[in-house]
Amino acid sequence: IEPRSSPQTLMDEIFEPIRNVYNGPEFNAVLQQIMEILPDRFMLNDLRTTRGLAPCPNNLTDSNRQAHELRLQRVPIVVPISELVLGPHAQLLKEAGHTLTDFIFLRMGEHGRQGMADPEVDEFIQLAHSQHRLLIGISFSSMPVGETKILQIALQICKHVIPPTGRGQETLRHHPAVIALLAGQPKSDAQIEEVQSLQEDKRLLLLHRPVDFGWLFPKLDAVVLHGGLGVTSEALRAGIPVITSGILLLDQRYWGARVHDLKCGSAGVPIDQLPSQIVDLACKALDLRADNDAPADSLSRGPSWRANVQVVREVLLAQCQGDEYGQRRNAEAVYAAGMSSDLRAVVQDAYGHRPSSRRVRRS
């Protein structure tokens, strides 16, 4: 009897061409330009013209208009992103004359290496470890997902996720604990049952204040994030799988796609679809089994997200050249670009050469 194909695999194959389009740079360039011309109190052109600068052209193109203008004026561009994480796109950027360096992690002062500890969070984590529970963090940063949706996702994880384990890992077969960061999220008066009970049992921690991700992420086992470059790079550096979701604007879909391509987590899942998928995704993110522990017919057989992201972490650390947080390399690259006699370090008369632009003065 011929084995049946996985429905999820078939759907992935059907929608792969569409996914490649809306994760691509051309679609993102058009969407960015649309966002810039939507009526708003502070439109980009309003900001430019009030400062005596020429407005951006009002036509839509499938290329990054700002990057094209900088290249046209021979202004050096430093991209503080790891080539490993950029994948095939890294070569395209280098061919366009960009200088690729590495991620910047702004760790400073006496707490630089470990980050700023949070006593309440630390106590919660220690208790979860004592109960042999794995830990998942949820943060959508400033993306307006809403407290209600985040709580629904947290409850699904707390109630229904059991990490797949292998031989000798049976003690970890418990529902995970969840830390949900709610600062800046639209509040809701809706009361969700069981939230208070989970909080009292110390299985769910709700925070309405920021936490240092450089300190927090290495203590977690997986994260649900909105797909921003900053949080995604923090998670990869910490070596933890990423489930990407939220409203998925602009580069957020791209970074979700890159995490998926690296086999370190999911592609971007629209927030309205996440509650129905989070249990399966969280189980995959928390899969602790070695390859030979997974059933032969298991879709997860092979290196897990967890194993792959640990490899990515080790490569990132090996490539840092003694500059653990990327500050020195980026500073040197910017200095070298600014001092170059072959390149111009200042933009002049931006968009002034375009027929659709009005020349005002030098910027």
Side-chain angles (χ1 to χ4, degrees):
I1 299 175
E2 231 178 272
R4 296 179 63 187
S5 298
S6 160
Q8 186 62 48
T9 301
L10 287 174
M11 293 302 290
D12 281 344
E13 291 177 357
I14 291 170
F15 288 107
E16 184 66 22
I18 299 174
R19 187 179 297 115
N20 288 339
V21 169
Y22 71 69
N23 283 333
E26 294 85 2
F27 182 86
N28 278 301
V30 173
L31 184 57
Q32 178 184 358
Q33 292 164 50
I34 292 173
M35 296 293 290
E36 288 171 355
I37 63 176
L38 287 175
D40 187 68
R41 183 182 175 190
F42 298 110
M43 293 176 61
L44 177 61
N45 274 337
D46 291 338
L47 293 173
R48 290 186 61 83
T49 54
T50 57
R51 288 156 175 79
L53 307 177
C56 297
N58 55 16
N59 59 308
L60 296 178
T61 69
D62 62 355
S63 62
N64 186 314
R65 181 177 287 145
Q66 291 90 339
H68 176 77
E69 183 72 23
L70 292 171
R71 286 196 297 270
L72 190 68
Q73 299 207 26
R74 301 181 66 247
V75 174
I77 300 175
V78 177
V79 181
I81 303 174
S82 163
E83 289 189 38
L84 168 68
V85 178
L86 279 169
H89 196 52
Q91 185 59 36
L92 297 176
L93 290 174
K94 288 194 288 187
E95 290 173 0
H98 294 40
T99 299
L100 272 60
T101 53
D102 201 350
F103 297 123
I104 303 174
F105 300 97
L106 297 180
R107 316 276 197 258
M108 301 181 70
E110 61 179 304
H111 301 288
R113 184 168 295 276
Q114 292 82 21
M116 289 288 289
D118 186 301
E120 181 185 8
V121 178
D122 193 47
E123 181 181 351
F124 181 86
I125 291 172
Q126 295 303 323
L127 180 60
H129 287 166
S130 70
Q131 297 173 345
H132 303 287
R133 297 188 190 278
L134 298 181
L135 286 145
I136 292 184
I138 304 175
S139 173
F140 292 98
S141 297
S142 60
M143 295 297 101
V145 169
E147 288 188 0
T148 300
K149 190 73 71 175
I150 294 175
L151 292 177
Q152 291 172 348
I153 295 164
L155 284 175
Q156 289 289 315
I157 296 172
C158 288
K159 291 171 57 180
H160 301 297
V161 171
I162 295 288
T165 55
R167 291 185 292 270
Q169 299 172 330
E170 292 79 5
T171 58
L172 295 174
R173 287 189 59 80
H174 298 282
H175 295 297
V178 173
I179 300 173
L181 303 178
L182 305 176
Q185 289 296 324
K187 297 186 181 298
S188 172
D189 295 329
Q191 297 296 318
I192 300 180
E193 296 181 8
E194 301 178 89
V195 168
Q196 185 173 354
S197 174
L198 287 168
Q199 287 180 283
E200 292 172 351
D201 292 342
K202 303 297 184 182
R203 291 185 50 208
L204 174 61
L205 179 62
L206 306 179
L207 296 175
H208 289 87
R209 63 176 185 277
V211 177
D212 186 338
F213 289 159
W215 171 82
L216 176 63
F217 281 12
K219 301 176 183 299
L220 301 178
D221 298 288
V223 280
V224 180
L225 301 174
H226 70 286
L229 172 59
V231 290
T232 301
S233 61
E234 287 278 13
L236 294 176
R237 175 61 181 270
I240 53 176
V242 181
I243 298 168
T244 302
S245 184
I247 58 178
L248 301 177
L249 284 175
L250 299 172
D251 69 317
Q252 295 164 10
R253 290 190 310 277
Y254 174 80
W255 293 117
R258 286 302 305 142
V259 166
H260 183 254
D261 290 344
L262 290 166
K263 296 180 172 56
C264 295
S266 75
V269 179
I271 188 61
D272 290 336
Q273 298 176 21
L274 187 59
S276 64
Q277 299 183 34
I278 188 59
V279 173
D280 289 340
L281 291 172
C283 285
K284 191 168 184 179
L286 297 178
D287 191 342
L288 303 174
R289 295 172 296 184
D291 296 352
N292 56 6
D293 285 336
D297 59 350
S298 171
L299 292 175
S300 62
R301 189 172 177 84
S304 64
W305 287 351
R306 186 184 182 93
N308 287 325
V309 77
Q310 287 292 323
V311 172
V312 168
R313 177 181 182 274
E314 292 305 316
V315 173
L316 290 175
L317 289 174
Q319 292 178 343
C320 72
Q321 305 170 24
D323 179 26
E324 191 173 358
Y325 303 122
Q327 298 168 10
R328 188 198 71 232
R329 282 168 294 160
N330 280 283
E332 289 174 350
V334 170
Y335 178 81
M339 297 300 292
S340 171
S341 58
D342 298 326
L343 297 173
R344 178 191 293 170
V346 178
V347 181
Q348 294 186 341
D349 203 14
Y351 309 116
H353 58 282
R354 305 287 180 87
S356 58
S357 299
R358 175 171 57 88
R359 185 170 298 197
V360 182
R361 71 168 176 82
R362 288 191 169 191
S363 59

